[in-house]
Amino acid sequence: MNDLRVNTLESEAIYIMREVAAQFEKPVLLFSGGKDSITLVRLAQKAFWPAKIPFPFLHVDTGHNFPETIEFRDRLAEELGIELIVRNVQDNIDAGKVIEETGKYASRNMLQTETLLDAIEEFGFDACIGGARRDEEKARAKERIFSVRSDFGEWDEKNQRPELFDLLNGKIELGQNVRVFPISNWTELDVWSYIEKEDIEIPSIYFAHKRNVFLRDGMIWSAQDDIVYREEDEEVVEMEVRFRTVGDMSCTAAVPSDAATITKVVDEIRKSTISERGARIDDKRSEAAMEKRKQQGYF
């Protein structure tokens, strides 16, 4: 990642952050403790320094997140003195608003949408800043940087505003809100290179470590926390692995790796021929799985 690209991407993201603060009344940063949202935090710090980040963090917790990520999330928010709002998918399950899946490929990832929309309505957020990137999945490549959602939280991929010459239009109707993607033009390699350049701390789960896992459908699943469904004939073994993405444990697989430093991770990503979303089983339910979720209000 050369210095010119670093500076260009960083400057663009900082500009977007400042536009959000200027154009919206109640923005929030969607923060999971993953590498992309951690990158957003650093960019927000730079955008508003020496003042504090002027909006809270929101995490929609499935209850099946990796413990290492949750610990990091809480610690970072406390260190920065930022309000961390957590809303739990389990509460909607208990209230009967959503039905939890069961069986071999069960996941709570799909259930996040209802909890997110409830939180937006509860707090009146008009802009939700997220770490989605165009290179992750084809549906995300269709997004604008300021992506308008209806008063039902729905996304219409065929009816989006033009964004010309970085003129970001934050005007919305009553009830609408906007999802904002400051690192939309970044790649996975860009994010990792930026983390290396800025010496940003990230959860240990992103680095190679010994872990109890089992194999299914050619993918490596965590067997440490009794969350991922495992059949009796699926044998648990210890392997050296790391996670390229840290979503819900029940749909996020590991990759074999000996990359124990950021420099080695960057080199590994540079050589990889597989997208990081290749380790997310929820994206493989259908060709349009992500797009359908986004249409319903998913991040």
Side-chain angles (χ1 to χ4, degrees):
M1 189 177 186
N2 60 53
D3 289 342
L4 178 60
R5 182 167 175 81
V6 171
N7 293 338
T8 300
L9 290 173
E10 181 186 68
S11 296
E12 178 187 51
I14 288 173
Y15 164 72
I16 294 166
M17 289 282 190
R18 290 171 176 167
E19 284 295 301
V20 171
Q23 295 192 44
F24 296 97
E25 294 184 5
K26 292 200 69 176
V28 67
L29 191 149
L30 302 178
F31 185 71
S32 65
K35 68 182 185 308
D36 297 317
S37 59
I38 291 169
T39 297
L40 290 180
V41 170
R42 174 57 57 88
L43 292 165
Q45 287 179 293
K46 288 194 169 189
F48 303 107
W49 180 264
K52 286 176 57 176
I53 297 172
F55 34 73
F57 296 170
L58 169 65
H59 184 213
V60 176
D61 190 344
T62 66
H64 290 173
N65 296 99
F66 291 96
E68 298 95 327
T69 310
I70 297 300
E71 184 278 328
F72 185 92
R73 176 202 72 184
D74 294 343
R75 178 164 55 84
L76 182 62
E78 183 176 1
E79 289 173 358
L80 296 178
I82 298 295
E83 178 187 7
L84 173 64
I85 301 167
V86 179
R87 289 297 177 266
N88 299 288
V89 169
Q90 184 66 53
D91 291 338
N92 277 359
I93 294 173
D94 293 343
K97 298 180 69 174
V98 293
I99 300 175
E100 184 166 18
E101 298 177 347
T102 59
K104 189 174 182 179
Y105 297 105
S107 170
R108 288 187 174 184
N109 220 38
M110 295 281 289
L111 306 184
Q112 293 179 87
T113 299
E114 187 73 26
T115 307
L116 173 59
L117 296 179
D118 286 349
I120 291 171
E121 182 176 1
E122 177 185 354
F123 292 95
F125 295 130
D126 53 2
C128 300
I129 306 168
R133 309 185 319 269
R134 297 187 194 276
D135 72 319
E136 289 181 274
E137 204 275 342
K138 59 186 179 183
R140 286 183 169 171
K142 298 179 181 180
E143 287 275 24
R144 298 293 190 263
I145 292 173
F146 275 18
S147 182
V148 179
R149 299 299 199 267
S150 74
D151 53 355
F152 295 104
E154 298 168 328
W155 174 61
D156 183 355
E157 76 284 1
K158 296 178 181 178
N159 186 26
Q160 298 193 75
R161 298 171 176 176
E163 287 181 342
L164 306 175
F165 309 108
D166 293 330
L167 298 177
L168 301 174
N169 181 1
K171 293 182 179 179
I172 54 177
E173 301 294 335
L174 182 65
Q176 291 182 329
N177 64 83
V178 171
R179 307 294 166 81
V180 181
F181 304 114
I183 61 172
S184 180
N185 290 327
W186 299 43
T187 66
E188 181 189 13
L189 180 59
D190 291 334
V191 169
W192 276 108
S193 298
Y194 189 72
I195 289 170
E196 181 181 33
K197 171 182 174 291
E198 292 287 312
D199 192 25
I200 301 172
E201 183 184 1
I202 57 173
S204 60
I205 199 168
Y206 280 113
F207 300 111
H209 58 282
K210 298 286 187 181
R211 195 174 193 90
N212 290 331
V213 299
F214 67 96
L215 304 181
R216 175 191 296 154
D217 300 332
M219 304 178 80
I220 303 169
W221 300 95
S222 177
Q224 288 194 182
D225 302 283
D226 297 324
I227 287 177
V228 184
Y229 176 89
R230 179 169 53 85
E231 297 185 335
E232 292 184 3
D233 61 347
E234 292 177 318
E235 181 183 0
V236 175
V237 297
E238 185 181 73
M239 291 180 62
E240 188 173 29
V241 300
R242 72 177 195 86
F243 290 84
R244 287 177 69 179
T245 178
V246 291
D248 190 292
M249 292 175 64
S250 60
C251 63
T252 306
V255 294
S257 174
D258 62 358
T261 66
I262 290 180
T263 300
K264 289 184 176 180
V265 169
V266 169
D267 186 57
E268 182 179 277
I269 296 301
R270 185 175 287 115
K271 296 174 182 177
S272 177
T273 59
I274 302 172
S275 164
E276 68 179 298
R277 302 293 296 194
R280 295 289 292 270
I281 196 68
D282 52 326
D283 288 347
K284 299 182 179 182
R285 295 188 176 205
S286 75
E287 278 292 310
M290 173 68 79
E291 187 157 322
K292 288 179 180 177
R293 279 184 288 159
K294 290 175 73 65
Q295 289 168 349
Q296 295 166 356
Y298 182 73
F299 154 73

